Each structure stands twice: as structure tokens, then as C-alpha cells.
Amino acid sequence: QPHNAFLLSPLSTSNQLFSTMSMNNVLLAQLMRDMQDPEMMAEAQKMMNDPAFQAHMKQMMASNGFQQAMKQTQDSMKDPEKVKEMEEKAQKAIAEGNKTLDDMEKKKKESGDAIDDADKKEEASKKEEEDAKKAAAEEEIEDIPDIAAINLN
């Protein structure tokens, strides 16, 4: 029996798998959004023109794992049913990823709005405090007698 330092229960393994799949959907959806952004695409073009990046890609493409994955993909693309299945799977993953991204953006906006509201309340409170101090200072000034106008004779 092999000794494993990290034993995972089937439930935690399935949760990790779901979490990984969900994150992959989010990354795929974000990639699709980024591909619509001209600025992001210009940066990608710069990266692809970098000789170090090109050398890395050439090395990766020469690996056995990459070659096998490409062959599997090419074989799958020959079968119209598999193509349809892959397209549907990709569309579903993108839709799920977009929903997660939208939810994340909504939560971020809501928390940002809550922070903005708190900041506005704090600013209003500070302004009220400053106004009260100014009013008190003006009141004090009015209470001080005009010494020059006092006739001591």
C-alpha cells in the first residue's frame, strides 16, 4: 500500500474537480472577452513576436504530449458528431464562465458601492463636523466684546 501524505476523500476530490472545471470555464469566458479587446490583442501580438516566446512555443509544440493532443484533436475534427459535441460543450462552458464572471462583477460592484456609500457618509459626517466647528468659532467670535470700542473713561 503506497504512503500518501495527502489523502483526499472522494467528496473533496469531486469538489476540487468541480472547482477546477468552474475556474476553467471562467478562464475560457475571460479569454473570449479578452479576444474582443483590441488593446489585449495588440499585447498578445507583441508577446507572440518575442523571440523567447517563439522559442518556448516551438519547444512545447515538439513535445510528445502536444503532438498526441494535436492528433486527437485532428481525429475528432473529422467526425461531424464529435465536432458538434465539442462545440456544444465549449458553448456551455463559456456560458457558465460568463455567468460566473457577471456574478463576480456584480458582487464587486455591490461591495464597491457599499464602500462608496460608507465613504460618502464619512465625508458628509466630516463636513457636518467642520461646519459645526466653523459655526462654533463664529459664535465665539461674536461673543468676544470689541475691546477697542470699550470706553474705560
Side-chain angles (χ1 to χ4, degrees), residues 21 25 28 81-97:
M21 290 172 56
N25 292 347
L28 179 60
E81 288 299 315
K82 283 188 179 180
V83 170
K84 183 179 177 187
E85 181 183 322
M86 288 188 299
E87 286 175 351
E88 289 171 356
K89 187 176 178 181
Q91 292 301 322
K92 181 180 177 191
I94 292 168
E96 289 173 4

Side-chain angles (χ1 to χ4, degrees), residues 82-138:
K82 283 188 179 180
V83 170
K84 183 179 177 187
E85 181 183 322
M86 288 188 299
E87 286 175 351
E88 289 171 356
K89 187 176 178 181
Q91 292 301 322
K92 181 180 177 191
I94 292 168
E96 289 173 4
N98 277 325
K99 182 182 181 323
T100 302
L101 282 173
D102 291 343
D103 290 346
M104 290 166 58
E105 288 172 3
K106 183 179 176 186
K107 286 179 184 173
K108 182 178 177 186
K109 184 181 182 318
E110 287 171 356
S111 68
D113 288 348
I115 290 170
D116 288 345
D117 288 346
D119 287 345
K120 286 177 185 174
K121 286 180 183 176
E122 185 177 335
E123 285 177 27
S125 176
K126 283 182 183 177
K127 185 169 177 5
E128 285 177 17
E129 189 177 312
E130 287 173 12
D131 289 347
K133 284 180 182 177
K134 283 181 186 175
E138 287 172 4

Side-chain angles (χ1 to χ4, degrees), residues 1-8:
Q1 175 175 341
H3 173 69
N4 289 327
F6 304 102
L7 295 175
L8 300 172

Side-chain angles (χ1 to χ4, degrees), residues 19-106:
S19 178
T20 300
M21 290 172 56
S22 178
M23 182 55 69
N24 287 342
N25 292 347
V26 169
L27 293 173
L28 179 60
Q30 185 63 56
L31 173 64
M32 297 305 287
R33 289 181 182 188
D34 290 346
M35 289 175 65
Q36 302 302 313
D37 181 349
E39 193 173 313
M40 289 292 285
M41 294 309 295
E43 286 300 313
Q45 185 66 45
K46 284 183 198 173
M47 180 182 71
M48 289 186 280
N49 289 335
D50 181 1
F53 177 82
Q54 291 174 356
H56 176 74
M57 289 301 293
K58 187 175 182 179
Q59 181 182 14
M60 182 188 72
M61 291 170 62
S63 73
N64 287 336
F66 184 85
Q67 293 296 322
Q68 289 173 350
M70 284 301 296
K71 181 162 179 14
Q72 278 182 319
T73 301
Q74 288 170 344
D75 291 344
S76 295
M77 298 299 279
K78 293 176 185 173
D79 181 352
E81 288 299 315
K82 283 188 179 180
V83 170
K84 183 179 177 187
E85 181 183 322
M86 288 188 299
E87 286 175 351
E88 289 171 356
K89 187 176 178 181
Q91 292 301 322
K92 181 180 177 191
I94 292 168
E96 289 173 4
N98 277 325
K99 182 182 181 323
T100 302
L101 282 173
D102 291 343
D103 290 346
M104 290 166 58
E105 288 172 3
K106 183 179 176 186

